Amino acid sequence: MTARTPDSARDIPEATVARLPVYLRALTGLAEDGTTTCSSEELAATAGVNSAKLRKDLSYLGSYGTRGVGYDVEYLRYQIAREIGVTQDWPVVIVGIGNLGHALANYSGFRSRGFRVVALLDADPSRHDEVVAGLDVRSFEDLESIVAEHDVSIGVIATPAVAAHAVAERMVAAGITSILNFAPTVLSVPDGVDVRKVDLSIELQILAYHEQRKAVSPGSEDVS
Amino acid sequence: MTARTPDSARDIPEATVARLPVYLRALTGLAEDGTTTCSSEELAATAGVNSAKLRKDLSYLGSYGTRGVGYDVEYLRYQIAREIGVTQDWPVVIVGIGNLGHALANYSGFRSRGFRVVALLDADPSRHDEVVAGLDVRSFEDLESIVAEHDVSIGVIATPAVAAHAVAERMVAAGITSILNFAPTVLSVPDGVDVRKVDLSIELQILAYHEQRKAVSPGSEDVS
DNA sequence: CGCTGTGAATACTTTCACAGCT
DNA sequence: AGCTGTGAAAGTATTCACAGCG
């Protein structure tokens, strides 16, 4: 009621935000193995980071551990899920039902992590017969009504590059404020709209860069 | 021949390396539009970064611009491609030919950017009849011989999470030193092996985090 | 004169190391 | 005694702002 610090500590660094989902998954794994308590060391190992970083990251959320003991797996899992916002579930639309769109529609990891695909849209009428992952592929023209009906704020673009920008603009106009873009294009969107991109070939190129370096200097600096 | 600084300046910051492919794509786009010269400002806008960052990034590669003029699109494109290592082409194997593996195998962006998928492998024998993207799906048992035959150093894992770690170990044993992992698991690999991961649900969770924040404080701090 | 290339300043991230709680 | 939570230090990355070349 006093306007500041609405209900959780604000201002979590972006680098930390990007790791919270990793911790969440690690905790889910531990819980499935029947682990009820873990130290920062154990959780860090499971998540693939070092323990100092993990503790610093968690410190931005609050003090959810017990000194001398560690963290309660289930409790911490819930706190992180709440912080990320995946205790509620988020309706999502996917636009572009080619190979990648198919894969995304069928990806069970969305459903299990707080996301529900409410519609699959494609501009190509020849795809509108298809049923993918239990949903029928609908016309892109239906975007606005679907967004309004399900109160969608997250959209996924899996179209070819040329179509991506037009799709993004129409998503924004329809009220979507977060976009996950798989098309290899830079999207420019108004302030207040978040875009994250996943570019398969960029990841390979980064690997190629390092791979190339390995070939040049295998042992680095132990040469006389 | 003097052992130090083999032929290009070493030690490009990781953040810069991750943006080089973006610049490369931007330059390819400009070249296709018939642009032969561009300023850092123009290229930065096309790539979606600011111009100071772009210039700083390029400065790690060398001085490929002309003061008062800008960059020659084709020349800079080649220099970046060479730096990344995509002037040669890289043979790649994909393991796990489910929905995602299909999408990856068919992704034209690999071929056009210096990568050539030489084999598709799957542990499930019922998939071994299939032909995907012009390649037939082969047994995972063939990994070693394929890696040896094509001198493969980059592998892509698109299996379910449970299988990923075993696949990675076997890839490493077979001689692969760079792995792109789409399975939602932390892989631990020996030093000298690079792993990059793409996790679809993590990206959505990061969007959800910000989306949740928007809902709480729409206008941020302009409230009396 | 304009635009690149780059030191210097700032901002962000990671790591260290230990005080302080259980 | 042991492990969390955190200031302070070290390491990276980004941005500024301008000297210097074409």
Side-chain angles (χ1 to χ4, degrees):
Chain A
M1 280 188 178
T2 39
R4 310 204 300 98
T5 326
D7 94 75
S8 53
R10 270 152 313 130
D11 218 58
I12 297 180
E14 200 46 43
T16 296
V17 171
R19 283 186 294 266
L20 292 179
V22 179
Y23 302 153
L24 189 55
R25 190 164 65 210
L27 287 163
T28 303
L30 289 173
E32 281 167 3
D33 295 351
T35 309
T36 58
T37 300
C38 68
S39 66
S40 64
E41 204 69 58
E42 293 171 82
L43 179 54
T46 312
V49 302
N50 73 43
S51 62
K53 194 190 279 180
L54 172 80
R55 288 200 304 279
K56 177 67 91 176
D57 283 342
L58 295 183
S59 77
Y60 294 113
L61 314 192
S63 283
Y64 296 133
T66 309
R67 288 166 200 240
V69 179
Y71 302 93
D72 180 275
V73 170
E74 194 46 50
Y75 179 62
L76 183 58
R77 201 199 56 73
Y78 175 75
Q79 293 301 338
I80 294 178
R82 193 178 51 81
E83 192 69 40
I84 299 175
V86 292
T87 46
Q88 62 190 284
D89 88 9
W90 293 92
V92 167
V93 295
I94 299 176
V95 177
I97 313 301
N99 282 298
L100 183 59
H102 260 85
L104 295 171
N106 281 295
Y107 181 48
S108 60
F110 290 162
R111 164 61 61 104
S112 69
R113 277 166 238 277
F115 301 94
R116 188 166 35 92
V117 178
V118 297
L120 307 176
L121 308 182
D122 200 292
D124 179 354
S126 72
R127 288 205 172 110
H128 296 167
D129 316 344
E130 258 183 280
V131 175
V132 176
L135 290 165
D136 38 53
V137 177
R138 299 174 57 179
S139 164
F140 183 52
E141 297 306 312
D142 297 347
L143 179 69
E144 287 77 7
S145 64
I146 291 165
V147 168
E149 185 192 343
H150 293 93
D151 196 19
V152 177
S153 48
I154 301 178
V156 176
I157 299 180
T159 64
V162 284
H165 204 265
V167 170
E169 284 188 340
R170 185 117 170 230
M171 280 182 168
V172 170
I176 282 177
T177 47
S178 290
I179 295 174
L180 181 53
N181 179 31
F182 286 88
T185 329
V186 175
L187 297 179
S188 58
V189 295
D191 279 8
V193 177
D194 281 315
V195 174
R196 294 193 64 88
K197 71 173 203 298
V198 174
D199 189 312
L200 312 174
S201 86
I202 282 180
E203 298 300 324
L204 277 188
Q205 289 175 68
I206 296 169
L207 286 174
Y209 170 83
H210 293 294
E211 197 56 48
Q212 177 181 234
R213 295 279 155 136
K214 287 176 199 167
V216 174
S217 53
S220 199
E221 44 199 329
D222 53 72
V223 191
S224 58
Chain B
M1 283 187 178
T2 40
R4 310 204 301 99
T5 325
D7 93 77
S8 52
R10 271 154 313 129
D11 218 58
I12 298 180
E14 200 46 42
T16 296
V17 171
R19 283 186 295 264
L20 292 179
V22 179
Y23 302 153
L24 189 55
R25 189 162 67 211
L27 286 163
T28 303
L30 289 172
E32 280 166 5
D33 295 352
T35 309
T36 57
T37 299
C38 68
S39 66
S40 65
E41 203 70 58
E42 293 170 82
L43 179 54
T46 311
V49 303
N50 72 44
S51 63
K53 195 189 279 180
L54 171 80
R55 288 201 305 277
K56 178 66 93 173
D57 283 342
L58 295 183
S59 77
Y60 294 114
L61 313 193
S63 282
Y64 296 134
T66 308
R67 290 167 200 241
V69 179
Y71 302 93
D72 180 274
V73 170
E74 194 47 47
Y75 179 62
L76 183 58
R77 200 197 59 71
Y78 174 75
Q79 293 300 339
I80 294 178
R82 194 177 50 82
E83 192 69 41
I84 299 175
V86 293
T87 45
Q88 62 190 286
D89 88 9
W90 294 91
V92 167
V93 295
I94 300 176
V95 177
I97 314 301
N99 281 299
L100 182 59
H102 260 84
L104 295 171
N106 281 295
Y107 181 48
S108 60
F110 290 162
R111 165 61 62 107
S112 69
R113 277 167 238 277
F115 301 94
R116 188 166 36 91
V117 178
V118 296
L120 306 176
L121 307 182
D122 201 293
D124 179 354
S126 72
R127 287 202 173 114
H128 295 166
D129 316 344
E130 256 183 280
V131 175
V132 176
L135 289 165
D136 38 53
V137 178
R138 300 174 57 180
S139 164
F140 183 51
E141 297 306 312
D142 297 348
L143 179 69
E144 288 77 8
S145 64
I146 291 165
V147 168
E149 184 191 343
H150 293 92
D151 196 19
V152 176
S153 49
I154 301 179
V156 176
I157 300 180
T159 64
V162 284
H165 203 267
V167 170
E169 284 188 340
R170 185 117 171 228
M171 280 182 168
V172 171
I176 282 177
T177 47
S178 289
I179 295 175
L180 180 54
N181 179 31
F182 286 89
T185 328
V186 175
L187 297 180
S188 58
V189 294
D191 279 8
V193 178
D194 282 316
V195 175
R196 294 193 62 90
K197 69 172 206 301
V198 175
D199 188 313
L200 312 173
S201 85
I202 283 181
E203 298 300 323
L204 277 187
Q205 289 175 66
I206 296 169
L207 286 174
Y209 170 84
H210 294 293
E211 196 57 48
Q212 178 181 232
R213 294 279 155 136
K214 288 176 199 168
V216 174
S217 54
S220 197
E221 46 198 330
D222 53 72
V223 191
S224 58

